[in-house]
Amino acid sequence: MRVLVTGLGDIACKAYLPILAALPELDVHLATRDPQVLRDAGRMFRVPHLHANIEQALATATFDAAFVHSATSAHATSVQLLLEQRIPTFVDKPLADNLAQVQQLVGLAERQATLLMVGFNRRFAPDYAALRDTGASLILMEKHRDKQPDTPRRVVFDDFIHIIDTLLFLAPSPVKRRTIETHVEHGLLKAVTLMLAGDGYTAIGTMHRDSGLDEERLDMIGNGVRQSVQDMAKTIRSAGTECRRRRGDWTSVGRQRGFEAMCADFLLAVREQRPTVATDILSTHALCEAVTAHADAQSRD
């Protein structure tokens, strides 16, 4: 399978290329506009096929799939170009930083009958995936940052989106009610809380951008049990007594954080010619747009 990887920044080099370059069944090609970054990545991951941009790559070879890891602002252009060529495409979250553009790209993927997948690794993180369908009636997720207030759209679409998508993934039934609270100072989003509710459950996600510490925690509570995951590396199960387990010494970060399983699922989906799961993509980005609109309105008040 010939695969194009475009955008060779931090996330591509830390999370994706170590996985993709190690798969013997893949013929990996790299593309980026920075020649030094391109050469360095080629040497680091022993990839001989280097291209100055997507256009050059597409003019040189045909591809069975593509991974887009460029900056968020470049996602839409790259994804559109690949989908127009009917190349199954994986893109880092968010697909775009506004719902209108997301809807356009999902619509294009459906018209082209071409797979489009957005990289929500927490759906594939083993400790998170194991908590799905546990019957919890209360889902709590926190993801905090230290000294990082930013514009609402950037915070929500680039970071809080993880909380939104994880809550939707873990919710045992459709969302019927939602509540949004945001704290904006001088145009910068400092804190956000989202509550979703449906039949028999409540899911709450919260983020503070000036919390004093970068941390993430997920709690699933119900049926006499509290199951917690801290920083996707340590699990705690409480049911009268407490049992703790941390990531195994030989378990890679890529496996623990879901990147290995996510890449494998996308490549299998390409081989099986699966369709785009439009509902998941649209639901997550629609909630992002709603949270952003709430923060923007507060900023104007």
Side-chain angles (χ1 to χ4, degrees):
M1 180 183 290
R2 185 177 294 127
V3 172
L4 175 64
V5 180
T6 180
L8 306 178
D10 189 53
I11 188 66
C13 291
K14 286 198 307 187
Y16 290 98
L17 284 173
I19 296 168
L20 299 176
L23 296 176
E25 68 271 25
L26 297 187
D27 178 19
V28 178
H29 289 233
L30 305 180
T32 190
R33 296 184 185 280
D34 188 318
Q36 187 61 53
V37 169
L38 185 63
R39 288 192 296 269
D40 290 346
R43 283 195 296 268
M44 182 181 301
F45 297 103
R46 298 176 182 175
V47 175
H49 310 296
L50 308 179
H51 308 277
N53 50 56
I54 294 180
E55 293 83 359
Q56 184 190 83
L58 295 178
T60 304
T62 57
F63 294 96
D64 301 296
F67 286 77
V68 176
H69 305 302
S70 53
T72 297
S73 59
H75 283 183
T77 300
S78 300
V79 170
Q80 179 175 336
L81 181 59
L82 292 163
L83 292 177
E84 287 173 345
Q85 299 292 318
R86 288 191 165 85
I87 298 172
T89 300
F90 176 103
V91 59
D92 284 328
K93 59 76 197 167
L95 175 53
D97 69 355
N98 63 88
L99 181 59
Q101 214 161 32
V102 169
Q103 292 169 329
Q104 291 171 2
L105 292 170
V106 170
L108 176 61
E110 292 183 315
R111 290 193 301 276
Q112 295 289 87
T114 300
L115 174 65
L116 173 62
M117 179 173 171
V118 180
F120 293 114
N121 61 296
R122 283 154 181 78
R123 290 179 174 242
F124 298 90
D127 289 341
Y128 279 16
L131 297 182
R132 199 178 192 198
D133 303 322
T134 57
S137 57
L138 180 59
I139 304 168
L140 302 170
M141 186 174 178
E142 302 175 66
K143 191 174 189 290
H144 303 305
R145 296 292 190 183
D146 181 31
K147 298 181 179 64
Q148 294 187 49
D150 208 334
T151 60
R153 189 163 295 276
R154 187 174 294 119
V155 168
V156 174
F157 276 86
D158 280 348
D159 203 0
F160 193 68
I161 190 172
H162 278 307
I163 290 181
I164 290 173
D165 189 74
T166 304
L167 294 183
L168 291 175
F169 171 68
L170 294 173
S173 62
V175 174
K176 293 186 175 181
R177 299 175 300 281
R178 77 183 187 202
T179 302
I180 301 168
E181 296 291 343
T182 54
H183 178 198
V184 181
E185 291 184 4
H186 308 296
L188 301 180
L189 183 57
K190 294 193 71 172
V192 53
T193 298
L194 172 69
M195 185 181 77
L196 306 175
D199 291 339
Y201 76 93
T202 302
I204 301 171
T206 186
M207 172 178 285
H208 201 292
R209 302 291 292 189
D210 194 16
S211 69
L213 185 68
D214 288 352
E215 60 180 342
E216 180 172 327
R217 180 180 176 116
L218 173 67
D219 290 286
M220 304 282 286
I221 303 171
N223 298 320
V225 179
R226 177 177 185 145
Q227 300 185 82
S228 307
V229 182
Q230 296 179 352
D231 296 318
M232 286 190 283
K234 180 170 64 176
T235 62
I236 305 169
R237 188 178 191 276
S238 304
T241 59
E242 187 175 89
C243 178
R244 292 174 174 261
R245 179 175 59 84
R246 68 176 181 86
R247 177 170 62 92
D249 292 340
W250 294 95
T251 302
S252 68
V253 173
R255 178 171 301 169
Q256 189 69 24
R257 298 181 73 87
F259 288 98
E260 284 188 13
M262 183 169 59
C263 290
D265 184 71
F266 172 68
L267 294 171
L268 180 60
V270 173
R271 295 187 183 98
E272 294 178 346
Q273 298 183 345
R274 292 186 214 160
T276 297
V277 184
T279 303
D280 287 350
I281 299 173
L282 294 173
S283 297
T284 294
H285 288 82
L287 265 176
C288 285
E289 192 67 50
V291 174
T292 301
H294 187 282
D296 286 342
Q298 187 190 54
S299 182
R300 290 191 295 268
D301 290 344

